[in-house]
Amino acid sequence: NTHMYTLSSNILPRRPRRRSRTYIPATMPEKVALIGSGNWGSAIATKIGVNASACADFDDKVYMWVFEEYVKEEDGKWVRPARGAKPPEGKTWVDEGYTPLTQVINEKHENVIYLPGIELPHNIVACPDVATCVDGATMMVFVIPHNFLAPIVPKMEGKFAKGAIGCSLIKGIEFEKEGDMKPILISDLLQDEMKKSDGAPVVDMSVLMGANVANEVAKGDFAEATIGCTKPENGLKWCKLFNTKDFAVQAVTDVAGAELCGAMKNVVALGAGFCDGLGYGGNTKAAIIRIGLKETAKFARLFFKGIQDDTFMESCGLADLVTTCFGGRNRACAEAFAKGEGTWDDIEKSKLNGQKLQGTITAKDVMTVLKHKKLEAQFPLFARIYEIAFEGKDPKSIVEL
C-alpha cells in the first residue's frame, strides 16, 4: 500500500527550487481506538490488532480502554477482590499483592480475566484512561455494555480527531420513556453523547453485527459479520479494519436494519428456548426462527426509513438469529423457564451469576411500544413470547399463533 502515501513528482506544478522539501503523505494513517475490553472487546482486538499492524492505512498502535481492576494469580487462576470490597484502611490493592489489569494485559498480551488463554496482538495497548485512549483517534470502536455509555463517553472529553468516525459493536436497544416510546438505536445514543463535547462534533456511526460468539472468533474459528454503515466509503474503511481470513466482513448501507437485528434476536431466542424446554424438535424451532425474522423486519420498517430487505439475509440477520436460537444465554434461560425452574430472577441468579437477560428486557419494551400503537395483533410471536414470559400463559401456547 506504500504507493498511496507518496505523491508522484510529475503531477505537481513546477516551483522554483529553493531548498529540499519533505513531502507529507497524501493521507495520514488512521488512528484506531478500541473502547472496551470485555469478552467481545478483547476478541475483536485480535482482528483489529493484526490488520492495524499489517496495513499501511492504519497506525500500528491501537489503544484499548480497560475499566481498571486489580488482579492476582492464585493456584494458576487469576482472581479479583470480591465485588464491592475495599482494601484495608490505609492500604491499596497493590499493597495487598494485586496488579492493575492493564499492566497484566500489557506484559502478558492476554486479557486474563475476560479472554483467558488467547494471545492479543502486541500492538494492542491497554489503557485505563479513556481520554488518553481516544486522543487523536480517527476511528473509534465501541464495545462496552450500553449502560456504561452515559458515564464513559463524557470522560472522552471530545479528544478524538475532527471528522472521526465510530463503529458500535453493542447489541441492544433503548426506547423513549414517553410520547411515542419509539426505539432508539445505541449508535444514535453514542452519537448524541459525543455531540455534547466542545464544538458539538457529529461522529458518523456504523455498527458491526453478526453471528459472533466471542470465544470462537478469538480462537480463529471461521465467522462472518455485517457492517451497517451510512456511506460506502466508511463501510470500506471498517471492512479493512475488521476483515481477516477467518472473519469475513461485508458492509450494507443500513445501520438501523443491522442494529435492530442484533437487538430483536434475543426476543426470538426466548421463543426458541420455550420450544427446547417443552421438548419440541427442529421443525418447531425452524418455524419460530422464520416467524421471528419476519416480525423483526416488520418492526424495523415500522420505525425506521431506508431498511433494506437484503440486510435480513446477511450475517447480522438470519445467521445471528440462528446461532442465538441454538446457543446462548437467552435460549438457555427460556428453556429453564419453560421447564418450571423458577422465576426469571431465580434463573438469572442460578445461570447468569446475577447478570440481567437482554431478551426479557427487550420483550417488555417492544410490547410497551406495540400496545401503545395498538399493533399487538400484527406481531403474534412477539406478543405470545411476552404473554408466556410475563402474563403466566402456558409455554405450550408458543405454537398457537
Side-chain angles (χ1 to χ4, degrees):
N1 281 337
T2 48
H3 67 279
M4 291 172 63
Y5 294 89
T6 53
L7 287 173
S8 168
S9 56
N10 62 1
I11 59 166
L12 287 168
R14 289 185 174 277
R15 290 185 179 183
R17 286 182 70 91
R18 266 175 288 191
R19 54 194 171 85
S20 67
R21 297 183 51 174
T22 305
Y23 285 118
I24 295 166
T27 49
M28 295 293 286
E30 302 281 359
K31 191 170 185 220
V32 180
L34 174 57
I35 298 99
S37 57
N39 186 229
W40 184 215
S42 300
I44 207 68
T46 64
K47 311 304 170 199
I48 292 172
V50 166
N51 285 339
S53 171
C55 179
D57 291 16
F58 306 108
D59 197 270
D60 280 1
K61 189 187 283 186
V62 175
Y63 280 109
M64 174 172 79
W65 175 70
V66 176
F67 177 75
E68 192 67 287
E69 298 179 78
Y70 291 86
V71 300
K72 71 174 170 184
E73 201 170 9
E74 285 179 357
D75 305 326
K77 193 172 185 326
W78 288 87
V79 296
R80 294 168 284 176
R83 194 184 288 257
K86 290 188 165 59
E89 191 77 31
K91 299 268 182 130
T92 66
W93 286 120
V94 174
D95 297 331
E96 296 296 296
Y98 289 87
T99 308
L101 179 57
T102 47
Q103 187 183 328
V104 175
I105 291 172
N106 288 334
E107 287 170 1
K108 293 179 69 69
H109 303 292
E110 178 188 347
N111 188 333
V112 295
I113 297 293
Y114 296 104
L115 193 65
I118 299 286
E119 186 179 10
L120 298 177
H122 292 205
N123 57 324
I124 297 283
V125 180
C127 172
D129 179 65
V130 73
T132 304
C133 176
V134 302
D135 195 6
T138 58
M139 295 176 78
M140 296 179 284
V141 179
F142 294 89
V143 53
I144 51 179
H146 70 270
N147 52 328
F148 271 38
L149 296 183
I152 296 305
V153 175
K155 290 180 180 164
M156 290 163 51
E157 297 170 7
K159 291 279 183 78
F160 45 86
K162 195 175 177 188
I165 59 175
C167 186
S168 168
L169 277 63
I170 304 164
K171 287 182 179 173
I173 193 163
E174 287 283 332
F175 288 82
E176 289 175 356
K177 299 289 180 268
E178 53 204 4
D180 270 354
M181 301 181 177
K182 288 199 308 245
I184 307 165
L185 301 176
I186 303 294
S187 56
D188 286 343
L189 279 180
L190 265 165
Q191 189 179 60
D192 291 345
E193 285 295 330
M194 287 189 279
K195 214 184 280 178
K196 292 174 186 171
S197 46
D198 286 350
V202 177
V203 176
D204 179 85
M205 288 299 299
S206 300
V207 296
L208 179 133
M209 299 283 149
N212 305 139
V213 176
N215 291 357
E216 293 176 15
V217 170
K219 276 192 332 215
D221 293 357
F222 180 79
E224 295 181 311
T226 311
I227 296 284
C229 58
T230 57
K231 37 185 124 157
E233 58 270 32
N234 287 349
L236 184 62
K237 281 184 184 179
W238 291 117
C239 285
K240 274 187 181 175
L241 182 64
F242 292 116
N243 188 69
T244 64
K245 65 180 189 303
D246 53 38
F247 193 61
V249 183
Q250 285 192 310
V252 293
T253 48
D254 181 5
V255 177
E259 194 167 341
L260 273 171
C261 283
M264 305 301 280
K265 62 164 194 168
N266 291 322
V267 179
V268 185
L270 297 179
F274 296 151
C275 291
D276 290 338
L278 295 162
Y280 296 159
N283 295 349
T284 316
K285 194 184 278 192
I288 298 293
I289 290 170
R290 182 193 71 78
I291 299 163
L293 188 61
K294 208 170 168 183
E295 290 192 12
T296 297
K298 187 190 276 191
F299 188 85
R301 288 193 193 96
L302 191 61
F303 292 104
F304 295 95
K305 291 189 175 73
I307 301 289
Q308 298 170 16
D309 290 349
D310 287 355
T311 303
F312 301 97
M313 291 296 110
E314 294 292 339
S315 179
C316 62
L318 179 63
D320 197 10
L321 184 57
V322 168
T323 196
T324 308
C325 286
F326 281 92
R329 56 173 68 181
N330 290 280
R331 187 217 61 79
C333 289
E335 178 179 357
F337 184 84
K339 285 178 172 172
E341 291 179 17
T343 65
W344 291 112
D345 284 345
D346 297 335
I347 291 163
E348 283 171 351
K349 280 195 189 81
S350 67
K351 291 198 176 294
L352 302 182
N353 208 6
Q355 283 183 298
K356 283 291 178 204
L357 263 187
Q358 201 62 52
T360 46
I361 296 168
T362 308
K364 261 187 190 167
D365 289 339
V366 164
M367 208 56 207
T368 304
V369 177
L370 294 179
K371 280 182 173 169
H372 180 75
K373 289 194 164 284
K374 299 186 169 42
L375 289 172
E376 307 100 296
Q378 288 188 35
F379 294 85
L381 179 65
F382 289 168
R384 183 53 46 88
I385 287 168
Y386 174 82
E387 288 165 351
I388 294 169
F390 298 109
E391 294 184 346
K393 195 133 183 122
D394 188 338
K396 290 192 179 77
S397 66
I398 191 73
V399 293
E400 297 160 12
L401 300 179

